Amino acid sequence: MEIDGITLWALGGVARFKGRFPSAPAELRIALAGPAVSLALGVVLLAAALLLPLPSAVDGVAHWLGTMNLVLVGFNMLPALPLDGGRVLRAVLWQRHGDLGRATRTAADVGRAGGQLMIAVGLSLALLGGGIGGLWLAIIGWFLLSAGGAEATAARQELALDGRTVADAMVRRPVSVPATMSLDAFVEVVLAHRHTAYPVVDDGRLVGLVSFRSLPVRIERLSVADVMVPVERVATVPATMPLADALPVVLGAPLRRALVRDGADWALLSPTDALRVLEVLDVAGRRAARPGAPLSGAAGR
């Protein structure tokens, strides 16, 4: 699994993974690795503080660090997504039932319930004179509540896109502009077509990508070639790539766009295209779930 980044906050960090876990055992091993390291550090540091004749300052630091690592183990193993304990719970449920969506919903529900309980207890303690400790508990509960909801939403979207490829969302034969076009003329193209990004061609050859949002304040005597992103820096994805795997590539690319080779032509993929697919799937799912509703409507025909 590739890590896209880690968001640090007061009680640790939340890793952002690229793609989906390949299996329940893989997620279980990854989820247990972090707490195992914290547990080992806590045991070693506390043992050193208790058993070795260390100077008082060193002994105090070792004892404090060991204690904090064990506290982190206990917190991170709470069965709430996106904490490690929530991932362990999801991996176990996923392995038992073979349904990632069901496992994610259950782990997210447990996390949200735990977050709501922490908020209620924390605010009660703060009102009853518990001071900063009660507020900290409420803040942690709020984090679990919001992060668990975000994790469940992301997993639901990934599952909805399962089996969908880039070809299902890309814009075929997008409107292109010549590299020599002036920016004044380019603004007219944008007003006419209402797209955000446009492939740039020179003598029929793709040379870059230009976005209306990247235009400078003063556009006199400038051409499209002066502000475009060269094709060498533009992300490219194959049309057969799973859409869920292509989204992180698009989101991390310049202009948040990717080029797709479509036979002899080029297509364009943006986050909005993927969201449009999700909306269509959501409407189709709700229509299919409605008693007596036809599976295809006028739009489908």
Side-chain angles (χ1 to χ4, degrees):
M1 291 292 296
E2 290 187 53
I3 301 295
D4 188 47
I6 298 176
T7 301
L8 296 178
W9 69 300
L11 290 176
V14 178
R16 298 189 303 276
F17 296 96
K18 283 186 178 181
R20 194 189 305 174
F21 290 100
S23 64
E27 180 171 23
L28 183 62
R29 291 192 298 270
I30 292 171
L32 290 175
V37 172
S38 295
L39 179 62
L41 286 172
V43 171
V44 169
L45 288 168
L46 280 179
L50 295 174
L51 302 177
L52 298 179
L54 300 173
S56 59
V58 177
D59 181 84
V61 170
H63 190 278
W64 186 86
L65 287 175
T67 302
M68 287 301 100
N69 271 281
L70 295 182
V71 169
L72 276 178
V73 172
F75 172 71
N76 281 325
M77 288 305 294
L78 291 175
L81 283 174
L83 299 180
D84 293 318
R87 297 194 184 281
V88 169
L89 175 61
R90 180 170 69 176
V92 171
L93 294 174
W94 183 10
Q95 180 72 20
R96 177 177 298 177
H97 303 295
D99 187 340
L100 176 59
R102 175 182 175 184
T104 300
R105 288 192 297 271
T106 301
D109 289 343
V110 171
R112 283 195 289 263
Q116 291 169 347
L117 180 61
M118 284 186 177
I119 292 174
V121 173
L123 291 178
S124 299
L125 289 175
L127 293 175
L128 294 175
I132 194 68
L135 290 178
W136 264 114
L137 189 61
I139 291 173
I140 293 172
W142 171 81
F143 165 78
L144 293 180
L145 190 63
S146 59
E151 184 87 10
T153 299
R156 186 169 61 251
Q157 291 176 345
E158 283 188 7
L159 289 171
L161 293 177
D162 196 25
R164 302 288 171 175
T165 65
V166 169
D168 295 318
M170 67 186 188
V171 177
R172 290 178 167 84
R173 293 184 176 83
V175 177
S176 61
V177 295
T180 55
M181 175 181 280
S182 69
L183 292 188
D184 288 320
F186 175 63
V187 170
E188 296 299 323
V189 172
V190 173
L191 292 175
H193 295 281
R194 306 288 182 176
H195 301 315
T196 304
Y198 298 81
V200 183
V201 296
D202 185 19
D203 291 331
R205 181 174 57 90
L206 184 70
V207 294
L209 194 65
V210 64
S211 170
F212 176 72
R213 294 194 179 99
S214 62
L215 295 185
V217 176
R218 300 183 64 85
I219 61 176
E220 297 85 355
R221 295 186 297 278
L222 292 177
S223 69
V224 167
D226 296 319
V227 297
M228 72 178 187
V229 176
V231 68
E232 295 80 10
R233 291 179 49 209
V234 179
T236 59
V237 295
T240 56
M241 186 177 189
L243 189 53
D245 294 339
L247 269 179
V249 177
V250 175
L251 293 173
L255 307 183
R256 292 163 63 90
R257 298 292 188 278
L259 291 167
V260 188
R261 172 64 78 178
D262 183 24
D265 300 317
W266 286 94
L268 204 58
L269 181 68
S270 71
T272 305
D273 301 325
L275 288 175
R276 191 176 298 114
V277 171
L278 283 172
E279 290 174 1
V280 171
L281 292 173
D282 181 59
V283 171
R286 285 189 279 110
R287 177 175 295 177
R290 196 184 312 142
L295 295 179
S296 61
R301 292 194 295 269

